[in-house]
Amino acid sequence: MSHAMMISLGLLVVCFAIRMPIAIGMIISSTLYLAVKGMDPSVVVEIFTSKMYNNFILLAVPLFIFAANIMNSSKVTDKIFDFSKVLVGRWKGGLGHVNVIASLIFSGMTGSAVADASGLGIMEIEAMRKEGYDDGFSAAITAGSAVIGPIFPPSIPLVIYGVIAGASIGNLFLAGMVPGIILALALCIYVCYIANKRNYPSGRKYAGMEFIKMTVSAVPALLTPIILLMGIYTGIMTATEAGAVAALYALLISVFAYRSITLSEFIQVLKNTVKSTGQIGIMLGAAYVFSYVIAVENLPSLAGNLILSFATTKVSFLVFVNILLFVLGMLLDSAVLQLVLLPILCPIAQSFGIDMVHFGVVFTLNTMIGLCTPPFGMLLFIVTGISGEKMNTIIKEVMPMVFVMVLVLILITFVPDVIMWLPRLFGR
């Protein structure tokens, strides 16, 4: 490693330490590297702009963000919650199951864990509180079920992974379907166990006409994932075009089907979308610049040789990556892990013959589990703010759920057919 790279990495560590936004720190450290090496620092601007403006796939990100914001500002989340109650609310610990199923349905529209927790979370926790559920458990299952969002398609993290790793977005979406469903089932099994142990209540059974009425009312919202996934997998639309359809459809059903969004709310949706898009755009641009520096320095080869010195097989490499991501996920945001580690790990994974679609789902689920792990799990902070419960109580409740998620992670890591059979069957 050159002196320029060591200086650059030292500056990046300092940026981490002073809590500077990771994207800004990566751009500053990359610019310093180029300057020390005597290269033209304007390369940073050239890479940033050319990569960002010439990537059609990236347009999917702001479109899905817009769709999520529209749904959170209208009655779409209410309809999803009511439909989930009709579907599974009568079971023992019914609202816990509702929490999980609602997250699975909502994930088919937004692809964001944060959107799920912040949108459905308020409603879910308040309903569970009224029925006598412990606040800690209510907040914990809200955070745990939100992890499904970035796994089940569409998924914003999978889009970003596909852009960085060069993997097929459509195949990544197909690969995320079965793990998303397995994760939901695993969490429901855990809810069953806790509900019987603590004697949580069952919900009421809805009469036939009530079931039909609430289901029909939810149909416009429920059609969203069906339209998106059918459009992508039949080849009618790309992932980016699906994002545009999702954004338009979310707006149409909010205005015409549910009549639940005002002009001022729509303006706020636009502001929130622009803000989130700007944040993600800067992070991706910084990732492109940092990847260029890494390539110039030949770090993937150096890191690969280091990793291969103790991870000599595909299995040992996957074990190493999962442990590394799980530990780092406790300390760093998932976006940071994607931006910093993917340019290094993807070439090594390919050298072992690991499919990039399989690796993408494993990588994404592991980093999403990090959103629920202390001390810096984003979802923990969100549900703490929503519920008003103490953080340590929520952590105590969420850790068994993290264990359940890790079991699912182990399954999809070492039984890749669980992930890959759908892409092999329908993928392109």
Side-chain angles (χ1 to χ4, degrees):
M1 187 183 300
S2 68
H3 293 299
M5 193 67 213
M6 287 190 284
I7 293 171
S8 177
L9 290 177
L11 178 59
L12 186 60
V13 170
V14 171
C15 291
F16 271 120
I18 64 175
R19 310 294 292 175
M20 180 182 289
I22 178 60
I24 304 300
M26 291 170 72
I27 292 172
I28 292 174
S29 61
S30 299
T31 304
L32 177 64
Y33 171 86
L34 295 173
V36 173
K37 291 283 284 188
M39 301 170 68
D40 187 356
S42 66
V43 170
V44 171
V45 179
E46 180 184 346
I47 294 171
F48 195 106
T49 53
S50 64
K51 292 287 188 179
M52 292 298 293
Y53 289 112
N54 292 327
N55 198 322
F56 178 70
I57 296 174
L58 280 181
L59 283 175
V61 175
L63 292 169
F64 282 125
I65 291 173
F66 176 80
N69 288 338
I70 283 286
M71 290 175 185
N72 276 338
S73 298
S74 63
K75 289 184 179 179
V76 175
T77 49
D78 296 23
K79 300 300 181 183
I80 294 170
F81 185 73
D82 290 342
F83 174 73
S84 300
K85 279 202 298 184
V86 169
L87 204 62
V88 297
R90 65 184 180 276
W91 298 351
K92 184 75 171 176
L95 286 182
H97 298 291
V98 169
N99 197 314
V100 176
I101 299 303
S103 292
L104 179 63
I105 296 171
F106 196 63
S107 70
M109 305 176 188
T110 65
S112 167
V114 173
D116 185 337
S118 56
L120 286 167
I122 298 173
M123 189 188 320
E124 291 167 339
I125 291 173
E126 188 58 34
M128 294 178 77
R129 180 177 287 151
K130 288 179 180 178
E131 292 293 328
Y133 290 76
D134 298 315
D135 280 1
F137 175 78
S138 303
I141 192 62
T142 299
S145 65
V147 171
I148 300 170
I151 305 303
F152 194 86
S155 163
I156 293 174
L158 285 179
V159 170
I160 295 173
Y161 170 87
V163 170
I164 296 175
S168 165
I169 305 297
N171 285 347
L172 284 166
F173 282 2
L174 279 169
M177 292 183 71
V178 174
I181 293 171
I182 292 174
L183 186 58
L185 291 174
L187 288 173
C188 282
I189 292 171
Y190 178 73
V191 169
C192 281
Y193 167 74
I194 291 296
N196 282 285
K197 182 179 179 180
R198 300 180 185 178
N199 197 30
Y200 285 147
S202 303
R204 71 182 183 90
K205 186 176 181 179
Y206 289 83
M209 287 306 299
E210 281 184 298
F211 180 89
I212 293 172
K213 181 180 178 180
M214 296 179 76
T215 301
V216 169
S217 179
V219 164
L222 297 175
L223 282 175
T224 308
I226 297 173
I227 292 171
L228 291 181
L229 300 179
M230 289 299 292
I232 293 173
Y233 302 142
T234 57
I236 296 174
M237 62 184 83
T238 65
T240 301
E241 291 163 345
V245 170
L248 177 62
Y249 184 75
L251 183 59
L252 290 177
I253 64 173
S254 297
V255 173
F256 296 108
Y258 299 129
R259 300 182 180 181
S260 57
I261 188 167
T262 64
L263 179 60
S264 60
E265 288 172 335
F266 178 70
I267 292 173
Q268 188 59 48
V269 163
L270 292 177
K271 290 179 179 178
N272 292 339
T273 301
V274 170
K275 181 180 178 181
S276 298
T277 302
Q279 291 171 339
I280 293 176
I282 291 174
M283 285 193 296
L284 283 172
Y288 283 128
V289 175
F290 193 66
S291 296
Y292 173 78
V293 170
I294 286 174
V296 170
E297 195 68 18
N298 199 30
L299 273 188
S301 177
L302 295 174
N305 291 333
L306 178 63
I307 293 172
L308 290 173
S309 65
F310 53 87
T312 56
T313 65
K314 179 192 295 187
V315 171
S316 59
F317 172 73
L318 288 171
V319 170
F320 167 79
V321 168
N322 275 326
I323 293 173
L324 176 68
L325 292 177
F326 186 79
V327 173
L328 292 179
M330 296 180 182
L331 306 171
L332 301 172
D333 185 71
S334 58
V336 176
L337 298 179
Q338 279 188 312
L339 301 180
V340 175
L341 293 182
L342 281 177
I344 296 173
L345 293 178
C346 284
I348 306 171
Q350 287 177 312
S351 71
F352 279 114
I354 299 171
D355 190 285
M356 284 294 95
V357 172
H358 174 222
F359 189 68
V361 177
V362 170
F363 188 100
T364 302
L365 176 56
N366 201 321
T367 55
M368 292 305 110
I369 292 174
L371 295 175
C372 288
T373 54
F376 299 120
M378 175 70 74
L379 292 175
L380 296 179
F381 290 105
I382 290 174
V383 297
T384 297
I386 292 172
S387 66
E389 184 57 82
K390 294 179 180 179
M391 175 71 82
N392 60 346
T393 303
I394 296 174
I395 290 173
K396 181 181 177 181
E397 293 280 4
V398 85
M399 290 314 294
M401 300 178 199
V402 169
F403 176 74
V404 170
M405 296 179 209
V406 169
L407 292 180
V408 175
L409 176 65
I410 292 171
L411 172 67
I412 67 170
T413 299
F414 300 110
V415 188
D417 286 343
V418 172
I419 295 176
M420 296 304 299
W421 72 274
L422 272 180
R424 288 169 185 159
L425 191 61
F426 298 108
R428 290 175 291 157

